[in-house]
Amino acid sequence: MADLQSLAVQLRRLNGEVNRLVHGFAGVQGLHATDVQALAAILDAEEPMTPGRLRGHLGLTSGAVTACVDRLERAGHIRRVRESADRRVVHLYYAAEARTAARSYFRPLAEAVDAARSRFTEDELAVVLRFLAAVNEDLSTLRPPGH
């Protein structure tokens, strides 16, 4: 059975490798690493993302989220769309052209994950997925001390 330290080491290594790629993408695109986190949140959202939900997801102030959204919109990565029923509601969408650029940049990551995935059975992958979902769920409730 995997001990906690071994799991922690592998999760840190995974986080470090993904962060390395994210920082590279941010540099190529002229963005901040936080901007790339915002893009991922917009992409992964189950419903249209709003600036308020993005603020909660990233743990940033309203002003910092506004600056981030402004940068992403100016760079052509996202579109702001006002809700027709309530013009005060703004939804954030990942722009199709920018999504294509991100897919191209992160294709080696997807290929590496697919190669690793191919070495496991469907049952093993189901357990891995359940584990990662549980870790993410538990981590999503944590707040840094003082927040």
Side-chain angles (χ1 to χ4, degrees):
M1 180 161 161
D3 63 32
L4 183 58
Q5 181 178 354
S6 297
L7 286 170
V9 167
Q10 292 305 317
L11 288 170
R12 279 193 301 270
R13 284 189 61 201
L14 174 64
N15 185 58
E17 293 301 328
V18 170
N19 278 340
R20 182 178 56 79
L21 294 169
V22 164
H23 284 275
F25 179 74
V28 166
Q29 296 293 316
L31 301 172
H32 297 272
T34 302
D35 298 343
V36 181
Q37 288 179 318
L39 286 172
I42 292 166
L43 179 65
D44 294 342
E46 294 179 7
E47 57 189 85
M49 183 61 77
T50 64
R53 285 187 34 239
L54 186 60
R55 182 181 67 75
H57 180 80
L58 297 176
L60 299 174
T61 65
S62 294
V65 167
T66 298
C68 173
V69 168
D70 287 346
R71 279 191 305 273
L72 290 172
E73 188 176 42
R74 272 194 313 271
H77 287 275
I78 64 166
R79 302 179 291 113
R80 281 182 175 128
V81 177
R82 292 211 177 270
E83 177 62 46
S84 60
D86 183 347
R87 301 291 294 159
R88 295 170 297 178
V89 176
V90 175
H91 290 151
L92 307 172
Y93 295 96
Y94 208 137
E97 319 76 58
R99 190 182 293 211
T100 300
R103 271 197 196 113
S104 175
Y105 185 89
F106 287 106
R107 182 167 289 118
L109 171 61
E111 290 168 352
V113 170
D114 195 43
R117 187 177 66 109
S118 73
R119 297 191 296 266
F120 294 83
T121 67
E122 287 301 316
D123 288 344
E124 289 172 324
L125 289 170
V127 172
V128 170
L129 190 57
R130 234 178 53 239
F131 171 75
L132 291 173
V135 170
N136 284 327
E137 181 66 28
D138 289 350
L139 290 177
S140 73
T141 65
L142 298 180
R143 296 294 170 256
H147 285 86

